[in-house]
Amino acid sequence: MLDRRLALAALAAAPLLFAAAPADPLAGNWTLDAQASDNVSAAIDKAIAAMNFAIRPIAKSRLMKTNPVYKTLGITLPPGKISVSFDGYAPAVGPADGSTVKWKRRDGEVLDLSNHIAGGQLIQTFSAPDGVRKNVYSVGADGRLTLAATVTSPKLPKPLTYKLVFRKAG
């Protein structure tokens, strides 16, 4: 009889065990809040200011190409994976455990991609032979998502840093 009561109690608690996990605040579709975001062109100018005047335009062009200001952002967190897409382009999808996979950017360049979530932040890293871009996504108390980007390269006199702010779409 006692075993039967324990079994019934376990069955009664089962819905609590299998209830849906609360939605991750990072997941969803987001729209750029341009007024709250940094001016990426100005941030690039600041990062390359110490470069030789002849090289600066080349560096600016390359950095502008690889750091566009996207209008939309989508984050999905399927089991064991993280998927991030901008402006409807093919997403950067990788394991959620921080391991590295190859990912091809839309211009054809193949990069090493790693993702993980720590302390409520999504940390996404793209590595290429000439540098590293680290995107840190976090949602503030106001419900807005901030993407803090840092680009480092031995060719840059100092890191390029900027933030883009997004509001939940819909």
Side-chain angles (χ1 to χ4, degrees), residues 131-150:
V132 174
R133 177 184 169 130
K134 182 177 177 182
N135 293 335
V136 178
Y137 304 83
S138 59
V139 177
D142 61 1
R144 295 186 307 170
L145 180 141
T146 298
L147 160 56
T150 302

Side-chain angles (χ1 to χ4, degrees), residues 77-129:
L77 304 168
K81 296 186 185 262
I82 295 173
S83 175
V84 178
S85 64
F86 290 98
D87 287 353
Y89 290 108
V93 181
D97 64 4
S99 58
T100 301
V101 296
K102 297 290 184 192
W103 177 74
K104 187 186 288 189
R105 194 170 54 206
R106 73 176 191 269
D107 66 0
E109 185 173 0
V110 176
L111 307 168
D112 289 330
L113 164 67
S114 68
N115 300 300
H116 69 282
I117 295 178
Q121 296 181 322
L122 165 53
I123 300 154
Q124 181 182 53
T125 305
F126 296 95
S127 301

Side-chain angles (χ1 to χ4, degrees), residues 32-38 165:
L32 180 70
D33 181 343
Q35 289 183 331
S37 298
D38 289 344
V165 178

Side-chain angles (χ1 to χ4, degrees), residues 2-89:
L2 183 58
D3 288 338
R4 187 174 172 187
R5 280 185 271 175
L6 286 174
L8 289 173
L11 284 174
L16 297 175
L17 296 173
F18 297 105
D24 191 301
L26 293 162
N29 294 312
W30 303 86
T31 303
L32 180 70
D33 181 343
Q35 289 183 331
S37 298
D38 289 344
N39 179 324
V40 174
S41 181
I44 290 170
D45 288 341
K46 185 176 176 183
I48 64 173
M51 294 179 105
N52 177 295
F53 77 94
I55 296 172
R56 243 180 305 195
I58 298 165
K60 175 130 185 184
S61 174
R62 167 94 167 125
L63 289 168
M64 289 295 292
K65 178 183 162 197
T66 58
N67 292 277
V69 178
Y70 294 109
K71 305 287 186 251
T72 62
L73 163 66
I75 298 175
T76 58
L77 304 168
K81 296 186 185 262
I82 295 173
S83 175
V84 178
S85 64
F86 290 98
D87 287 353
Y89 290 108

